[in-house]
Amino acid sequence: EEKYTTSISKGLTSARAAEILARDGPNALTPPKSTPEIIKFLKQMVGGFSILLWVGALLCWIAFGIQTAQGVASAFDNLYLGVVLALVVILTGIFAYYQEAKSTNIMASFSKMIPQQALVIRDGEKKEVPAEQLVVGDMVEIKGGDRIPADIRLIFAQGCKVDNSSLTGESEPQSRSCDFTHENPLETKNIAFYSTTCLEGTATGMVINTGDHTIIGRIASLASGVGNEKTPIAIEIEHFVHIVAGVAVSIGVLFFIIAVSMKYKVLDSIIFLIGIIVANVPEGLLATVTVSLSLTAKRMAKKNCLVKNLEAVETLGSTSIICSDKTGTLTQNRMTVAHLWFDDQIYSADTSEEQTTQSFDQSSQSWAALSKIVTLCNRAEFKPGQENVPIMKRVVVGDASETALLKFAEVILGDVMGIRKRNRKLAEIPFNSTNKFQLSIHETEDPNDKRFLLVMKGAPERILERCSTIMINGEEQPLDRERAEAFQTAYMELGGLGERVLGFCHLYLPEDEFPDTYPFDTDSMNFPTSNLCFVGLLSMIDPPRSTVPDAVSKCRSAGIKVIMVTGDHPITAKAIAKSVGIISANSETVEDIAKRLNIPVEQVNKQDARAAVINGMELKDMTTEQLDEILINHSEIVFARTSPQQKLIIVEGCQRQDAVVAVTGDGVNDSPALKKADIGIAMGIAGSDAAKNAADMILLDDNFASIVTGVEEGRLIFDNLKKTIAYTLTKNIAELCPFLIYIIASIPLPIGTITILFIDLGTDIIPSVALAYEKAESDIMNRRPRHKKKDRLVNEQLAVYSYLQIGILQSVGAFLAYFTVYAEQGWLPNTLLGLRVNWEDDYYNDIEDSYGQEWTRYQRTYLQWSGYTAFFVSITIQQVADLIIRKTRRNSIFQQGLLRNKVIWVGIFSQIAIALILCYGLGSVTALNFTPLRVQYWFVAMPYAILIWVYDEIRKLFIRQYPGSWWDKNMYY
Amino acid sequence: PSPMARGKAKEGDGNWKKFIWNSEKKEFLGRTGGSWFKILLFYLIFYGCLAGIFIGTIQVMLLTISEYEPKYQDRVAPPGLTVVPQVLKTEVSFSISDPKTYEEYVEGLNRFLKNYDNSQQTDEMIFDDCPGAFNNAQGQKKVCRFRREWLENCSGILDSSYGYKDGKPCVVVKLNRILGFKPKAIIPRKCCKNVDKIGTVEYYGLGGYAGFPLQYYPYYGKLLQPKYLQPLMAVQFTNLTYDTEVRVECKVYGENIHYSDKDRFQGRFEVKFDIKSS
């Protein structure tokens, strides 16, 4: 093929290869276009509350500018405050950006885990080069087990089979040869595709496409066209930001107007506005949410759910429909012997992952005969050197059914290879699709028995045709009508279970006709292949993972609908669905009912059937209304014989029902569905890179049960985020009230803006993260998934309870401390009212207090800072109580246990430690406005802290006692 | 299912009008009248109780506080020094020829010294002529008289403009009242710095004594001595340089008088003079 200037035997020259590489670029898929880092960073800078804080900072600088022009002494406070606010925005922005980058990096490292090598002929020599450096025209050699490094036209192939499932969804291996068989590159047999795997055989071929030009590359670029939806938690947080920002702006504007109409100077009013904004915005909250989510993501990664996008953590929790693949996710992805039929009886075999013995009755002579056939009539072999590996985990060379039989025999008989050695194989006809059987002739291991043993297995009906006798309890009996019917019944029954059934028969060749030296010839078949003795049936299935039935029932009690989407035959699909509980034991499909009542399918009332098995062909002809109807009417649905493209249709159908849909997938063709789904789950082991790229989450062990643990974590974090937000919002009122009262009652300012920032970004951070470690209050898997639009993260009850009840309680407690500090220094509460203007006059140095003492400006300021500190300390102390009550929303704290979540205590101690350091350690730093406080002031707000706790216990008690009552409706958040 | 879905979509759109007044369900802002009544009643009770608790705790706190003396004085002591007239940025700036420019200062002094008029100190039940010498055993609740005329040139009696019209401005100085505070030892001469520009400085006080006489201390508080008059000192700058800014810092000396870098009025004061000769 001179077209590619290459040579079939020598390959390209290195120089030419380098040239082409420079022209075409590396042989790798271009990753989906990512947003430039700077844009991502800037987005963090203006997202959430940042805009509000920027406005605050800007107002500060404006105020600073005006005040400096007027020569006000305290003007620099505003400059600093503006700088601090800007810093807060920038720091939280950097933090969020860093968190996001970190989770992206997890992904990056994941995809780089397996560097691929390719065996290529260049300069007439075989070389291993990284697959990325392959170029068009390269000659590559592939063998069984390799991933195909590029699109390749085969020039030489020997028994080559490829698994195209990731590309086309066909689960059967496809054979590949050098013959050009079809116009369509996807159909022709002489092209192997990039990223598919070669299952067996060897081949040599020429690279015809690399990188994005490959078939897979084109599909991948199509998938990136499907837009990403906003995650539910992103919507919730946006909703929450809107609420808080709305409150902040409206209170700010309202009090700006009030202040102006109360004849405050406009500049002062602006400064009040800044204070109100700062007090209202929970600066640390968004960072806290990010940390909580990433903690959960870490926890989920330990449980084999690797989350790419932090917000997907919660999405999983709100999932209401899971569309799951069958093979590998629900099942073990491994054929296993499930049933046996001999002596006119069906036995079931253990199909669990870790089987070491089989417990069915093995005493019959028939079993001895059957086991011999199973052992001998089998070409599969263990790869050497695996003696210490558990049988079920050993690697086998051979196809799926033979592997199953080999492992089955090894488990029961042990040392299959030894038995085969002792029963030397003389001739063999491998399975092919025309005769549908496999046959081999062996010597027997009994030295006295000179007969040869002919063993055969294959499609049961074909095997039966060749038999004239049947073995019952070790005795050969004629195969009469009755026996044949018994066989039919058993065959139908096993087939009805969706299992692949094989028949087994044998024949001892008479010694006289077939002496020692008889030349068996498989081409002329110079030996009998009929009138054999039928021994038994074995049926195999890809069995469900043992953890799956449990996980499915968990989903069911959690109100999550599990829909199976598979390319398999409807009967197999239904059988597996039944065995894992996706179709529950007592529910029927329309067809079942029709069969039971003996009426045509059309007459069955569709509402009666809980279950439905939909064929991909039917789905193709359905309108969207028909699909919607099916999704609404049936709670247990299996889609069989579906193509990956149809998955997208199913996902869209589910989303029309307002459901949050999780979809699993592994193939490249799944990626549009994975993208479209609210949460796309790619398989970590079986999944293709394209699927992993499109997914939000990667299931490291491919196990459905891991999804369910993920759901549990997701629901828990949603609950815990509610608690965190409730905790954080509460103190905002305690920070806001001082400003409002300061404006209205003209008292000395109870708490400074800087001090507020120390609460929001200092004492409160660790406790609010600690709430992410809180255990669930009750079985969260026993309630329905939250409704995307009705069950909000921040609902009216949460906001009202936090703002108007606990928040107000907290403010009152903090005001008590404030009044106490002032009163004990000589300013009784009544003298404080209306004092503001004189108090803040820089040149009024002899203001009289309640006792007639005269205060200079600085003395007053210092006292004001003591007031700030006392207010701050009181909020901190009451936030401890707030933290404790937020541990639960319904249960009593004592039911939940005070000590179960140790991190809460870390939070409490950190909170108090930070307050102590600020108060006594940094009390001398003027700019921070803290002063060392008398010890007793730490306890002033304590009664209110206790009151908060008691009040909340009462609230929870009433909620538990009177579910559904007015109290429950208004007080449960 | 389709009408249901449509209904949901509407809800999602946020139908504001319907939210404010839903005529079907008779709901105002998402609640019916009865529901509003219940919730408002709840908050009425809730805040009522809370107000009660707050007032209760404030009362308990006030019970622990004496009417006669504050619990702590660590923020107010040591005392500040106040200079009258108190003006913006402590800048005394006027022109000799224009009385309007110093009217503000004269007014301030008049207002302040009014309490020291003899007519205010006639009640023998309250006022007492304290003996000239420091006496610890004097009557506790009586207030020592302080005669305005002791301030001589700066009393406003001899010169109603306190020397401002002659370009020799007076300021009156007082030590801030601190309950129970007794200056230790005698207070020596107070001293105003920046000598070359301020020229000579005259001090007037009790018997020409340039200090705060100790017999006026301590102060027993508003309740016991509602008419307390703290001793004053007047300072007259008789030879200030005109047409330039003169900064003057004055300090009071005493064993328990302290100064602070942060508080420019603790035990000292600063005044800027800017007198225009024309």
Side-chain angles (χ1 to χ4, degrees):
Chain A
E1 300 265 348
E2 294 303 318
K3 181 176 152 199
Y4 295 110
T5 62
T6 184
S7 143
I8 290 173
S9 53
K10 286 188 177 166
L12 291 170
T13 58
S14 299
R16 178 71 188 143
E19 236 171 78
I20 303 174
L21 185 65
R23 186 191 69 198
D24 290 352
N27 173 32
L29 299 182
T30 357
K33 235 181 257 165
S34 53
T35 340
E37 296 297 303
I38 185 75
I39 299 283
K40 278 193 202 165
F41 184 69
L42 287 178
K43 261 190 182 163
Q44 299 290 359
M45 287 290 149
V46 295
F49 296 118
S50 303
I51 291 280
L52 217 51
L53 292 178
W54 281 122
V55 170
L58 213 63
L59 289 179
C60 278
W61 290 325
I62 291 172
F64 164 73
I66 298 174
Q67 284 187 335
T68 352
Q70 293 178 347
V72 178
S74 58
F76 276 91
D77 289 356
N78 284 319
L79 177 65
Y80 298 145
L81 185 60
V83 170
V84 169
L85 286 179
L87 271 181
V88 165
V89 179
I90 291 168
L91 285 179
T92 48
I94 288 174
F95 177 78
Y97 171 76
Y98 167 76
Q99 281 288 346
E100 202 183 275
K102 214 168 70 175
S103 64
T104 321
N105 282 344
I106 295 177
M107 267 316 296
S109 65
F110 193 81
S111 58
K112 279 190 186 141
M113 248 157 53
I114 330 142
Q116 211 196 335
Q117 296 286 323
L119 192 61
V120 59
I121 304 170
R122 279 187 191 165
D123 305 328
E125 286 171 42
K126 286 186 186 180
K127 281 188 204 167
E128 285 259 310
V129 298
E132 278 192 3
Q133 295 181 5
L134 284 184
V135 297
V136 171
D138 261 332
M139 304 300 297
V140 289
E141 284 189 10
I142 47 175
K143 56 181 191 305
D146 283 355
R147 220 173 74 140
I148 296 181
D151 282 0
I152 291 170
R153 172 137 90 243
L154 300 184
I155 290 163
F156 162 81
Q158 189 177 38
C160 178
K161 282 187 176 174
V162 292
D163 175 8
N164 270 357
S165 60
S166 71
L167 188 62
T168 59
E170 301 160 289
S171 52
E172 294 293 315
Q174 310 282 306
S175 68
R176 281 290 177 264
S177 63
C178 337
D179 311 324
F180 174 77
T181 57
H182 205 284
E183 289 284 311
N184 186 340
L186 276 171
E187 300 287 336
T188 185
K189 286 213 180 264
N190 65 338
I191 292 182
F193 299 106
Y194 177 46
S195 94
T196 59
T197 30
C198 174
L199 295 173
E200 53 187 86
T202 57
T204 309
M206 187 177 60
V207 174
I208 51 170
N209 282 318
T210 56
D212 289 333
H213 302 292
T214 59
I215 300 288
I216 223 110
R218 278 177 237 168
I219 293 179
S221 58
L222 272 183
S224 57
V226 179
N228 253 335
E229 305 262 311
K230 251 188 195 164
T231 59
I233 192 75
I235 295 170
E236 286 306 315
I237 287 177
E238 203 170 274
H239 175 236
F240 155 75
V241 168
H242 285 164
I243 290 182
V244 173
V247 170
V249 170
S250 44
I251 294 185
V253 169
L254 180 71
F255 274 82
F256 183 78
I257 294 166
I258 291 179
V260 171
S261 55
M262 280 175 73
K263 306 269 188 304
Y264 281 100
K265 276 184 258 166
V266 174
L267 188 63
D268 285 340
S269 307
I270 288 176
I271 294 171
F272 301 156
L273 186 61
I274 298 166
I276 288 170
I277 290 176
V278 172
N280 244 313
V281 173
E283 288 84 3
L285 188 61
L286 294 185
T288 313
V289 169
T290 316
V291 172
S292 301
L293 286 175
S294 63
L295 283 173
T296 309
K298 264 190 196 157
R299 211 150 50 192
M300 280 165 79
K302 271 190 202 148
K303 292 177 180 170
N304 290 321
C305 299
L306 188 69
V307 179
K308 271 170 66 182
N309 172 359
L310 275 187
E311 288 161 351
V313 170
E314 195 281 326
T315 314
L316 197 56
S318 47
T319 302
S320 53
I321 295 181
I322 302 177
C323 293
S324 176
D325 278 342
K326 180 185 124 312
T327 311
T329 312
L330 295 169
T331 66
Q332 300 171 15
N333 196 15
R334 172 176 69 197
M335 275 294 171
T336 306
V337 175
H339 291 95
L340 303 92
W341 181 78
F342 57 85
D343 292 350
D344 214 354
Q345 207 177 337
I346 293 179
Y347 299 89
S348 25
D350 178 12
T351 55
S352 67
E353 286 95 330
E354 254 94 58
Q355 46 182 293
T356 46
T357 53
Q358 290 287 358
S359 51
F360 61 90
D361 180 20
Q362 293 161 12
S363 57
S364 163
Q365 281 300 311
S366 309
W367 162 246
L370 182 58
S371 66
K372 194 156 247 177
I373 308 170
V374 168
T375 316
L376 297 179
C377 189
N378 192 331
R379 286 158 52 108
E381 284 176 21
F382 288 115
K383 274 196 181 168
Q386 300 188 85
E387 285 72 24
N388 299 324
V389 183
I391 295 169
M392 299 316 285
K393 295 216 169 99
R394 288 186 202 168
V395 180
V396 175
V397 185
D399 77 16
S401 330
E402 296 228 296
T403 305
L405 294 171
L406 172 64
K407 286 184 174 173
F408 181 67
E410 182 84 12
V411 164
I412 299 175
L413 305 170
D415 196 18
V416 168
M417 306 316 262
I419 297 174
R420 284 196 200 157
K421 232 177 248 164
R422 290 197 294 277
N423 298 272
R424 201 162 59 87
K425 191 193 292 180
L426 299 173
E428 178 174 54
I429 302 176
F431 186 87
N432 71 49
S433 48
T434 42
N435 50 18
K436 292 202 167 171
F437 68 79
Q438 176 180 350
L439 172 154
S440 58
I441 300 169
H442 299 259
E443 290 173 349
T444 59
E445 58 187 316
D446 181 355
N448 301 325
D449 191 349
K450 290 288 176 205
R451 293 177 297 171
F452 293 109
L453 176 62
L454 182 150
V455 289
M456 187 193 252
K457 75 167 186 226
E461 65 277 5
R462 292 297 181 85
I463 296 292
L464 195 75
E465 279 168 14
R466 294 170 187 275
C467 292
S468 56
T469 57
I470 186 165
M471 186 175 273
I472 302 289
N473 296 326
E475 306 286 324
E476 272 188 46
Q477 294 191 3
L479 184 65
D480 52 24
R481 226 189 144 76
E482 199 185 318
R483 297 272 178 224
E485 257 169 32
F487 159 85
Q488 277 301 336
T489 324
Y491 181 30
M492 292 304 289
E493 189 175 341
L494 295 177
L497 293 173
E499 298 178 0
R500 185 188 293 174
V501 190
L502 286 178
F504 293 82
C505 66
H506 73 185
L507 182 69
Y508 281 97
L509 300 177
E511 204 176 340
D512 43 352
E513 269 182 65
F514 299 93
D516 254 354
T517 53
Y518 187 84
F520 290 102
D521 181 10
T522 53
D523 290 330
S524 59
M525 298 242 248
N526 56 352
F527 42 84
T529 57
S530 59
N531 290 329
L532 310 176
C533 172
F534 193 85
V535 180
L537 295 172
L538 244 78
S539 66
M540 283 162 291
I541 197 163
D542 178 11
R545 290 166 178 270
S546 50
T547 44
V548 168
D550 211 33
V552 170
S553 79
K554 247 188 182 171
C555 282
R556 177 150 300 155
S557 59
I560 302 168
K561 196 156 145 184
V562 182
I563 293 177
M564 183 200 270
V565 181
T566 176
D568 276 358
H569 195 270
I571 296 179
T572 319
K574 193 177 162 192
I576 291 291
K578 279 208 154 173
S579 67
V580 298
I582 289 179
I583 294 180
S584 49
N586 50 5
S587 51
E588 295 174 309
T589 63
V590 173
E591 291 78 17
D592 288 336
I593 295 176
K595 206 169 150 194
R596 177 164 56 84
L597 301 174
N598 218 351
I599 52 171
V601 173
E602 292 76 35
Q603 290 179 16
V604 178
N605 181 2
K606 281 181 185 160
Q607 313 282 343
D608 292 344
R610 285 233 310 266
V613 178
I614 317 284
N615 197 313
M617 301 306 284
E618 300 170 44
L619 186 59
K620 207 179 262 172
D621 302 329
M622 272 182 202
T623 60
T624 45
E625 283 79 23
Q626 279 172 314
L627 178 61
D628 287 352
E629 199 181 323
I630 286 171
L631 290 170
I632 292 166
N633 286 337
H634 304 283
S635 58
E636 300 167 347
I637 305 173
V638 171
F639 288 96
R641 284 248 181 270
T642 45
S643 63
Q645 285 86 345
Q646 288 180 318
K647 239 186 202 175
L648 185 61
I649 299 171
I650 298 170
V651 169
E652 284 169 342
C654 294
Q655 283 176 334
R656 276 197 297 276
Q657 320 302 318
D658 256 350
V660 177
V661 187
V663 171
T664 69
D666 43 25
V668 176
N669 273 9
D670 288 335
S671 35
L674 290 174
K675 271 237 155 131
K676 180 71 197 167
D678 296 285
I679 180 156
I681 305 170
M683 297 299 139
I685 303 168
S688 59
D689 282 353
K692 285 175 191 167
N693 269 331
D696 305 295
M697 207 180 91
I698 293 165
L699 217 53
L700 293 179
D701 61 354
D702 290 12
N703 190 348
F704 180 79
S706 305
I707 302 179
V708 180
T709 35
V711 169
E712 208 168 340
E713 289 292 345
R715 288 187 172 194
L716 184 58
I717 197 63
F718 186 79
D719 280 10
N720 285 349
L721 281 182
K722 251 186 177 183
K723 295 173 184 177
T724 302
I725 290 175
Y727 168 79
T728 314
L729 288 187
T730 305
K731 55 111 205 304
N732 277 3
I733 285 296
E735 293 165 353
L736 180 65
C737 279
F739 270 96
L740 306 189
I741 302 211
Y742 163 75
I743 294 169
I744 292 173
S746 284
I747 56 173
L749 186 62
I751 190 165
T753 320
I754 301 268
T755 325
I756 288 173
L757 287 175
F758 272 104
I759 299 176
D760 287 0
L761 298 170
T763 57
D764 253 17
I765 291 286
I766 298 173
S768 42
V769 171
L771 281 170
Y773 288 90
E774 201 51 53
K775 303 272 181 301
E777 277 176 70
S778 55
D779 193 353
I780 39 177
M781 294 307 274
N782 269 337
R783 60 175 195 231
R784 303 196 53 74
R786 76 182 180 90
H787 191 285
K788 241 197 309 198
K789 287 178 183 157
K790 284 183 193 147
D791 307 324
R792 310 308 303 249
L793 181 65
V794 177
N795 52 19
E796 186 196 320
Q797 287 88 339
L798 184 146
V800 165
Y801 183 67
S802 301
Y803 274 152
L804 295 185
Q805 297 185 31
I806 301 298
I808 297 285
L809 257 172
Q810 241 183 34
S811 324
V812 169
F815 266 107
L816 177 66
Y818 162 84
F819 282 124
T820 306
V821 167
Y822 277 81
E824 296 195 337
Q825 290 284 356
W827 299 89
L828 296 181
N830 52 341
T831 42
L832 291 176
L833 301 179
L835 188 62
R836 191 192 73 92
V837 176
N838 286 340
W839 181 275
E840 288 180 356
D841 187 335
D842 280 339
Y843 301 97
Y844 196 168
N845 281 305
D846 58 345
I847 298 186
E848 275 185 42
D849 65 13
S850 310
Y851 297 91
Q853 306 185 99
E854 292 169 328
W855 294 66
T856 66
R857 170 63 176 142
Y858 183 79
Q859 287 165 344
R860 297 193 305 265
T861 307
Y862 199 68
L863 176 61
Q864 190 176 327
W865 291 348
S866 302
Y868 290 180
T869 314
F871 211 94
F872 162 82
V873 163
S874 304
I875 290 181
T876 307
I877 295 290
Q878 291 178 95
Q879 277 295 80
V880 171
D882 192 25
L883 183 62
I884 290 172
I885 67 166
R886 299 301 184 181
K887 278 166 69 78
T888 61
R889 294 184 295 145
R890 179 186 292 278
N891 289 353
S892 161
I893 293 303
F894 303 102
Q895 283 169 298
Q896 182 81 351
L898 264 174
L899 296 171
R900 247 175 57 193
N901 180 357
K902 307 264 184 321
V903 188
I904 287 278
W905 289 97
V906 174
I908 291 176
F909 286 123
S910 75
Q911 200 169 16
I912 293 172
I914 292 172
L916 283 171
I917 290 169
L918 287 174
C919 178
Y920 297 109
L922 301 175
S924 48
V925 183
T926 320
L928 301 184
N929 300 355
F930 283 98
T931 64
L933 205 63
R934 286 197 161 75
V935 177
Q936 71 262 33
Y937 293 141
W938 287 72
F939 300 94
V940 175
M942 210 71 105
Y944 283 88
I946 294 166
L947 183 65
I948 286 173
W949 189 346
V950 171
Y951 176 65
D952 194 60
E953 278 296 317
I954 293 171
R955 177 186 74 92
K956 290 171 188 161
L957 181 73
F958 282 164
I959 287 173
R960 289 195 305 274
Q961 292 284 314
Y962 307 107
S965 63
W966 177 88
W967 185 273
D968 186 17
K969 275 184 206 140
N970 284 286
M971 306 294 266
Y972 181 68
Y973 55 89
Chain B
S2 51
M4 229 175 82
R6 238 179 282 134
K8 265 179 200 165
K10 254 188 192 172
E11 222 174 281
D13 290 344
N15 202 328
W16 279 104
K17 262 185 203 164
K18 205 166 186 181
F19 176 69
I20 292 171
W21 173 245
N22 183 343
S23 49
E24 280 169 48
K25 296 184 188 166
K26 300 224 181 302
E27 281 177 351
F28 174 66
L29 295 178
R31 284 177 182 277
T32 61
S35 167
W36 272 112
F37 174 75
K38 274 188 197 165
I39 200 88
L40 290 178
L41 185 70
F42 170 79
Y43 278 101
L44 195 69
I45 295 170
F46 182 83
Y47 290 134
C49 292
L50 198 54
I53 292 170
F54 180 63
I55 292 167
T57 44
I58 288 281
Q59 289 304 328
V60 169
M61 183 269 290
L62 290 179
L63 283 182
T64 65
I65 289 171
S66 150
E67 285 174 84
Y68 298 101
E69 50 181 345
K71 201 161 179 176
Y72 304 112
Q73 292 178 301
D74 54 338
R75 294 287 184 265
V76 69
L81 202 62
T82 308
V83 59
V84 184
Q86 287 197 15
V87 287
L88 195 68
K89 296 180 192 176
T90 59
E91 215 173 63
V92 177
S93 141
F94 64 97
S95 128
I96 301 169
S97 56
D98 184 2
K100 279 241 165 67
T101 54
Y102 54 80
E103 193 180 10
E104 178 196 350
Y105 313 122
V106 174
E107 274 303 307
L109 282 163
N110 279 338
R111 221 181 304 124
F112 178 73
L113 288 176
K114 215 172 148 199
N115 287 333
Y116 289 82
D117 281 346
N118 285 341
S119 55
Q120 301 278 330
Q121 305 180 28
T122 47
D123 192 341
E124 287 294 330
M125 292 299 291
I126 301 173
F127 294 97
D128 184 27
D129 284 314
C130 299
F134 176 65
N135 181 6
N136 251 338
Q138 62 173 282
Q140 284 208 345
K141 276 154 204 152
K142 293 227 169 161
V143 174
C144 295
R145 284 200 176 89
F146 191 93
R147 304 278 179 203
R148 191 172 168 173
E149 54 263 32
W150 292 342
L151 299 178
E152 298 178 36
N153 288 345
C154 289
S155 64
I157 300 168
L158 306 172
D159 175 3
S160 61
S161 78
Y162 302 91
Y164 282 80
K165 69 174 191 322
D166 306 322
K168 298 175 180 173
C170 282
V171 293
V172 174
V173 181
K174 65 169 180 180
L175 202 57
N176 278 355
R177 287 196 295 252
I178 307 290
L179 199 143
F181 177 81
K182 272 191 230 166
K184 285 206 186 118
I186 57 165
I187 300 184
R189 288 179 66 91
K190 49 194 285 306
C191 165
C192 294
K193 285 199 273 181
N194 202 349
V195 183
D196 51 328
K197 274 187 188 167
I198 61 174
T200 46
V201 181
E202 298 286 339
Y203 301 101
Y204 311 102
L206 172 60
Y209 173 72
F212 297 114
L214 297 184
Q215 64 267 37
Y216 288 81
Y217 297 96
Y219 170 52
Y220 290 101
K222 210 179 193 174
L223 209 64
L224 295 177
Q225 296 179 311
K227 300 241 163 177
Y228 177 77
L229 296 171
Q230 67 229 79
L232 302 178
M233 280 244 352
V235 183
Q236 188 171 29
F237 301 89
T238 51
N239 198 9
L240 275 172
T241 315
Y242 297 159
D243 298 321
T244 180
E245 217 180 72
V246 184
R247 261 185 82 223
V248 181
E249 187 197 65
C250 296
K251 268 185 175 175
V252 58
Y253 294 99
E255 215 176 282
N256 52 0
I257 301 287
H258 301 279
Y259 315 103
S260 155
D261 291 338
K262 289 171 189 161
D263 189 354
R264 285 180 298 126
F265 292 91
Q266 185 180 305
R268 57 175 168 164
F269 70 84
E270 274 180 25
V271 181
K272 257 185 278 176
F273 288 104
D274 186 6
I275 303 170
K276 292 176 186 66
S277 51
S278 54

